[in-house]
């Protein structure tokens, strides 16, 4: 038989969320009467709102008629790309700088192909696990050290630095993953902070992969919703975003990536052209049904529905934050993001996770799953039915 790709054995044992699901199943098998509530994985629960949903239905219906049938869609519908540029970027980008995808996780996984395994990867610590695991899979963690991910540079984001990292740690020619509003800390970077990040990326000839999957949760009008609000960012930043958490498309699958044309590799080649080449080779376009929904999500009515849906989850977040604070546990997030990041002190995150599961029958996410700086933290997700959130908050008092 062929040898296994050695990078696979360099991954941590299991992807974080299936591991949580496994522990939940184990607990449920031992306690069949327990009514477990999940505040773990960030998975949407509310029905897609009517205007957007009817566009999805129409999109499906169009496939059943000869006159409106469509097949492969390549980089995405022009109308959708134009709307994304207008709604999110003030019309700054032309259609061929916006690539429609089947979601931001999928793009995050593919983007590494642009840089290969020589890139020095920097991640916020804690961060969404796909940045590190995706890097390991491509072999970017070359001097892997057995237990950890040797060559990955962790940028601690803690209470001490206001959850914004010391960018001086970013060295020459790095690939920097940056997520704002952040998963898991909920911190949303200010314009000044992003300007510092962009300046450092330009100085070090680094590239930022900016994950804006939660931008629709920003309520503080002074906070930037995209990295492209910062001068110089078009030369050094790629942005990924998604309809998952804004329109409830976690199961529908639709996202996009912006690759500005001015961005060049050190050899002068166009990053945009290469991304187009990669996408044409290994991706065959997002579902045309999903794209019909995306178009509706970005018109006047659709944007109102996005606001309504994200408001709902933010109200959940406020309830969870109160319940956690009542325990005397310090927490941040939940105001411009759907995650609450709670500090349980020196205790191991998985132990806290187990205790909350045992005492409250509530599933959470252990902070250590997001990186070393997550030790002692628990992430609470605000994605849930209101009655479940209220019940979970009541039960948390038993902790
Ligand atoms: N980016 C960030 C920062 C995310 O938190 C998530 C989902 C995604 C991208 C993925 O978005 P899609 O557009 O739907 O692909 N994070 C959730 C779900 C877990 C997972 O494995 O993606 C979470 O609980 O962290």
């Amino acid at each position: 038989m062929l040898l296994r790709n050695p990078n696979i054995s360099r991954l941590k044992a299991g992807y974080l969320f299936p591991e949580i699901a496994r522990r939940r199943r184990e607990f449920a098998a031992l306690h069949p009467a327990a009514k477990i509530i999940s505040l773990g994985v960030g998975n949407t629960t509310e029905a897609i709102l009517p205007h957007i949903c009817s566009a999805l239905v129409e999109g499906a219906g169009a496939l059943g008629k000869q006159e409106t049938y469509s097949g492969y869609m390549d980089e995405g519908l022009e109308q959708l790309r134009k709307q994304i540029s207008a709604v999110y970027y003030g019309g700054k980008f032309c259609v061929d700088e916006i690539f429609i995808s089947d979601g931001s996780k999928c793009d995050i996984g593919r983007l590494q192909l642009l840089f290969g395994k020589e890139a020095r990867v920097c991640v916020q610590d804690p961060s969404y696990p796909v940045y590190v695991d995706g890097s390991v899979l491509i072999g970017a963690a070359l001097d892997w050290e057995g237990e950890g991910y040797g060559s990955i540079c962790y940028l601690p984001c803690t209470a001490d630095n206001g959850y914004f990292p010391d960018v001086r740690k970013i060295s020459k020619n790095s690939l920097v993953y940056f997520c704002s509003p952040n998963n898991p800390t909920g911190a949303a970077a200010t314009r000044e902070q992003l300007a510092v990040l962009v300046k450092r990326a330009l100085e070090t000839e680094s590239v930022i992969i900016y994950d804006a999957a939660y931008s629709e949760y920003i309520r503080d009008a002074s906070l930037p919703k995209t990295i492209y609000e910062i001068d110089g960012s078009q030369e050094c930043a790629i942005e990924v975003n998604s309809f998952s958490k804004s329109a409830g498309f976690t199961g529908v699958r639709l996202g996009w990536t912006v690759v500005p044309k001015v961005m060049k590799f050190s050899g002068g080649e166009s990053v945009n052209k290469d991304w187009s080449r990669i996408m044409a080779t290994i991706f065959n376009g997002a579902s045309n049904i999903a794209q019909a929904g995306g178009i509706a999500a970005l018109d006047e009515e659709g944007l109102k529905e996005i606001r309504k849906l994200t408001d709902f989850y933010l109200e959940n977040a406020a309830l969870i934050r109160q319940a956690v604070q009542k325990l005397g546990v310090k927490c941040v997030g939940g105001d411009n993001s759907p995650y609450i990041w709670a500090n349980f002190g020196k205790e191991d995150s998985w132990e806290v996770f187990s205790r909350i599961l045992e005492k409250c029958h509530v599933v959470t996410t252990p902070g250590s799953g997001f990186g070393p700086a997550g030790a002692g933290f628990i992430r609470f997700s605000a994605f849930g039915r209101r009655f479940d959130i209220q019940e979970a908050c009541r039960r948390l008092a038993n902790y």
Side-chain angles (χ1 to χ4, degrees):
M1 256 321 247
L2 275 180
L3 278 178
R4 183 193 198 198
N5 174 352
N7 297 325
I8 298 174
S9 63
R10 291 173 183 149
L11 288 169
K12 283 201 180 122
Y15 182 59
L16 178 62
F17 295 103
E19 175 60 20
I20 290 168
R22 191 188 65 73
R23 293 190 190 213
R24 177 193 171 138
R25 277 194 305 275
E26 216 172 72
F27 182 82
L30 292 172
H31 306 87
K35 290 198 166 42
I36 300 170
I37 297 173
S38 176
L39 306 181
V41 63
N43 196 4
T44 48
T45 54
E46 301 310 294
I48 294 174
L49 288 165
H51 174 72
I52 301 174
C53 194
S54 53
L56 289 170
V57 172
E58 270 170 40
L63 298 178
K65 294 191 209 95
Q66 202 53 58
E67 315 79 66
T68 45
Y69 173 79
S70 58
Y72 290 131
M73 289 261 175
D74 303 326
E75 281 122 344
L77 286 172
E78 193 164 317
Q79 190 188 341
L80 179 57
R81 291 189 277 163
K82 277 190 180 148
Q83 271 173 291
I84 289 173
S85 180
V87 170
Y88 286 90
Y89 309 110
K92 205 166 355 201
F93 296 110
C94 61
V95 289
D96 38 356
E97 291 174 299
I98 294 171
F99 298 78
I100 306 299
S101 74
D102 52 350
S104 49
K105 186 183 198 172
C106 320
D107 272 354
I108 292 162
R110 286 184 287 252
L111 274 164
Q112 287 246 345
L113 294 173
L114 279 170
F115 306 98
K117 60 184 185 169
E118 305 310 323
R120 180 175 159 77
V121 175
C122 297
V123 293
Q124 285 162 291
D125 176 19
S127 68
Y128 181 44
V130 182
Y131 312 145
V132 169
D133 284 358
S135 306
V136 172
L137 272 177
I138 204 160
L142 279 180
D143 54 348
W144 180 72
E145 290 163 348
E147 284 303 308
Y149 296 109
S151 69
I152 289 184
C153 169
Y154 286 93
L155 307 171
C157 296
T158 61
D160 291 341
N161 57 21
Y163 297 96
F164 182 79
D166 179 356
V167 299
R168 287 172 303 183
K169 282 191 81 180
I170 299 171
S171 55
K172 199 142 176 85
N173 302 126
S174 296
L175 181 59
V176 185
Y177 287 92
F178 197 91
C179 176
S180 180
N182 189 264
N183 173 13
T185 68
T190 64
R191 190 164 277 108
E192 295 70 32
Q193 288 173 328
L194 287 190
V196 167
L197 176 69
V198 166
K199 182 166 173 275
R200 183 66 184 167
L202 292 170
E203 263 165 30
T204 54
E205 297 179 54
S206 296
V207 166
I208 301 164
I209 295 184
Y210 190 79
D211 187 340
Y214 301 99
S215 66
E216 288 291 358
Y217 287 82
I218 292 179
R219 289 295 177 271
D220 178 340
S222 71
L223 295 172
K225 285 190 161 182
T226 157
I227 187 117
Y228 299 121
E229 289 187 32
I230 310 303
D231 288 343
S233 57
Q234 292 200 28
E235 280 83 49
C236 64
I238 291 172
E239 181 164 302
V240 294
N241 206 329
S242 162
F243 289 86
S244 284
K245 308 297 164 70
S246 59
F249 277 22
T250 40
V252 176
R253 310 304 306 146
L254 189 67
W256 71 91
T257 288
V258 183
V259 187
K261 283 191 178 161
V262 293
M263 219 177 155
K264 299 278 186 286
F265 290 107
S266 57
E269 308 90 339
S270 160
V271 179
N272 177 284
K273 267 197 187 149
D274 283 2
W275 182 240
S276 180
R277 177 72 175 84
I278 289 172
M279 286 296 268
T281 307
I282 60 166
F283 182 62
N284 248 346
S287 146
N288 32 22
I289 302 171
Q291 293 189 70
I295 287 171
L298 297 186
D299 68 19
E300 210 184 319
E301 205 49 42
L303 289 169
K304 278 190 204 148
E305 292 189 341
I306 285 181
R307 181 74 184 202
K308 195 171 164 199
L309 188 69
T310 50
D311 272 347
F312 175 85
Y313 291 125
L314 284 169
E315 284 158 22
N316 283 351
L319 293 175
I320 297 169
R321 205 174 40 214
Q322 275 167 19
V324 172
Q325 281 166 345
K326 268 195 199 149
L327 299 175
V329 170
K330 277 203 182 126
C331 63
V332 289
D335 36 11
N336 296 291
S337 97
Y339 296 121
I340 285 98
W341 187 237
N343 187 351
F344 283 80
K346 297 222 177 315
E347 215 178 334
D348 178 76
S349 294
W350 280 107
E351 274 170 25
V352 182
F353 165 90
S354 298
R355 183 133 27 84
I356 297 176
L357 183 55
E358 274 155 29
K359 287 195 167 181
C360 318
H361 300 172
V362 170
V363 175
T364 56
T365 306
S368 56
F370 298 98
F377 282 81
I378 286 287
R379 188 194 78 174
F380 292 89
S381 156
F383 294 105
R385 308 304 321 273
R386 180 60 50 81
F387 53 82
D388 280 338
I389 299 287
Q390 285 165 335
E391 174 62 14
C393 288
R394 270 193 291 276
R395 290 191 203 161
L396 280 175
N398 302 333
Y399 177 77

